[in-house]
Amino acid sequence: MTKLHSMTCTAAFLVGASAVHAANIEFWYGNTGKIEEAIQAHCAAFNEAQTVHRITCVGQGGYEAGMQKAIAAYRSRQHPVLIQFFDAGTLDLMLSDAVVPVQEIMPDAPWNDYINGARSYYETSAGELISQPYNGSTLIFYANMEMLGEAGIDEVPQTWEGAMEAARQLKDAGVACPFTTDAHPWRVLEQFSARHGAPIASNNNGYGGLDAEYTFNGGPVADHMLNLAAWREEGLVKLDQDTVAGKYNAAFNAGECAMMEASTGSYGAAYGALGNKVKISMAPMYDGVERRNTLIGGASIWVMKGHDDADYEAARSFLDFVRDVDQQIEFTRRTGYMPVTKAALASLVESGKADTLEFATAEMGVASLNQPGDENSRGIRLGFYVQFREVFKEETQKAFNGDQTMQTALDNAVSRGNELLRRFEQTYQGAILP
Amino acid sequence: MRSRLVLVAGAARIASMTRGFYTGRLSYWSLVLPILVLIVMFFYIPVALAFFWSFFLERPFGGGSEFVGFQNYGRVLSDPEFWNAMWRTLIFMVVAPGLAIGLSLILALAADRSIRISQAARNIIIWPKAVAGASIGVVFVFIFNPFLGIFAPLNEISPGIWNPRIDGADAFITVVIAQIWNGIPFNFIILLSGLQAIPDMLAKAAAMDGSGPWRRIVDLQLPLLTPQLFLTFVLEFVGTVVEAFGLIDTMTEGGPGGATNLLIYKIYVDGFKAYDLSGAATQTALLMMFVIVMVILQFRLERFVKYER
């Protein structure tokens, strides 16, 4: 018995010794469809490229579902080493005490190479990146040039005034749906306010502390929301529910709508459906407002606490791998997401591929993210923000239904949002915003 | 709820059986323990945790949780959105079971009379029971599509008259119809079997005394059917509170503008999409108390049920 025992011990020691730094780690992600395939390709390529570590990538069926499962897993100490989380959950995670800042476990990685719009969204007040930007997107403007051409328009409008002028012409030419959006807060609130340099909340959208308050019921955002409602009355703007297709991007791809505001991530499907008719441009501005950067959408990779050194060694190696220029370009090609480092973008431009249709969104999107920023275009750092998005959608939908005015909707969204912020502040009493 | 009643009955039976069929304590405990463990794990512990969390401000990932007394209850009870969701739940609880039982009753009465194709109907009406709530949701979204569905011609006559994607009332009606469609098969089986169990002699005797079919329904069949009506009523009532979830999730996600945001769906969104664990726990506790009160009220109605024939 003792002999057997000592033999097992020796064997265990030998196995341990031969693979001091080797680890099997898990990476949880939320995307599905084509993007999931690209993520799985990343994982397979990583496992093939080296033999020390193994990564198992597990799809959770959605960003929100991924977060739920991570919360449950963390509470029962079954959580993975790496996890992908989406933009709106940033502050919840920052204060969760469940993650290690990437810059802390990998101090020597080229963090300054990340493009500005991607950095500012995911960095602490001290300028330290807390998670590694992975699949980055941003808001751009899409036009169906064939439909615009039939109405006598040959250029993509750059301003809201221009876009609505074009919409009127399209309407007169018999187009039932000139411009479409789903009025999701990511589009009409966050991306709009960032590029117009207007805050949606005090303390620079919460970057200055947890006692921020929503302020968007006055100023440029409110004006724009009132305009959207009026333009919809006029028949220039169609929401999801007004379209036959039932979804703004499907309606654009089906040739029902002539223009839309959408993520760079929508490009693949739009190009697949409409080919050369699709032309893209930076999201429209109001006349006379200086253009600021748009915000990065999509998601980033976070390192979770409570694992041993070997696991973190594997995590570092995977994060380095996906940062690799060729890996990023391949990911961009497969998904329509943008390169997130300057090196990857430079390499893409240098290779001449940036001009090809496959990569059409890369330069446009990065250019939009790299516009000069100000303290209101860094990002959104507000608590229970996912819940706030639901509140915003609910209140503005009631306004679009005609149950209340848009101004009332915005006032209600602000006061309900402020209640959420106060509760968040109380929940994280004593926590310091990193 | 039901399983708990069964459990209580089971426990009482165990006490009386000690001296009977089972020879040792071990054998009956080994029979009862598995179900007991399951119920404790998946019912009592979660319920206890919900009540516990409703007195704390709980961080999603754990760590600091702060005792706040009844503050969560104060917040939820003064939140108009909670009362809106509660009110919608109540309307849904009355309308959907009422129609689901009423329609099932008509179908069962018809199928019970040996009219043409009633044999076939008895089979066919039961089939929808095999379809999951989420699947029904997907199908009904298509059936009620404002541009392609069955009401699309209405929109051609008067554009915008039917659009459950933007009109809250239309959306609510859509969910109610789906829930009723979902509920009919089970109610139909129960009510039909109840009707068939009523002895033939009674109907024959009544007919000889000169009462027509309508008279027999009102004075004979319905009073004798009260046990089945009561059963479907209780199950439908509780079912609408929790089962509507799958339909809402696939059909409307609580929209448009919160028009179909029943309490059960609001709890899901608050807890799982928005990481507001304390708020969701508080609402769960309130919903549970509401259901318990409702069921107690219903069991007071049981006095009017005639189990003896």
Side-chain angles (χ1 to χ4, degrees), chain A residues 347-381:
Chain A
S347 159
L348 187 62
V349 172
E350 210 171 284
S351 68
K353 278 191 274 184
D355 297 330
T356 61
L357 289 163
E358 271 184 316
F359 290 100
T361 55
E363 249 187 315
M364 180 76 66
V366 173
S368 184
L369 287 175
N370 266 341
Q371 294 293 309
D374 66 11
E375 63 277 15
N376 293 324
S377 65
R378 294 173 73 186
I380 305 292
R381 195 137 301 171

Side-chain angles (χ1 to χ4, degrees), chain B residues 13 49 100 113 148 179 197 206 289 299:
Chain B
R13 210 160 291 147
L49 263 182
R113 295 179 64 79
L148 307 165
Q179 172 75 19
M289 288 187 255
F299 273 86

Side-chain angles (χ1 to χ4, degrees), chain B residues 136-179:
Chain B
I136 297 172
V138 173
V139 173
F140 272 78
V141 164
F142 184 76
I143 293 176
F144 291 117
N145 183 306
F147 297 98
L148 307 165
I150 50 168
F151 291 144
L154 282 181
N155 281 333
E156 272 166 31
I157 301 165
S158 158
I161 197 165
W162 174 261
N163 192 344
R165 294 174 190 163
I166 189 123
D167 187 304
D170 292 354
F172 198 81
I173 292 170
T174 312
V175 178
V176 167
I177 292 177
Q179 172 75 19

Side-chain angles (χ1 to χ4, degrees), chain A residues 249-263:
Chain A
N249 45 5
F252 180 81
N253 296 350
E256 185 188 343
C257 299
M259 300 180 282
M260 71 164 174
E261 53 173 353
S263 157

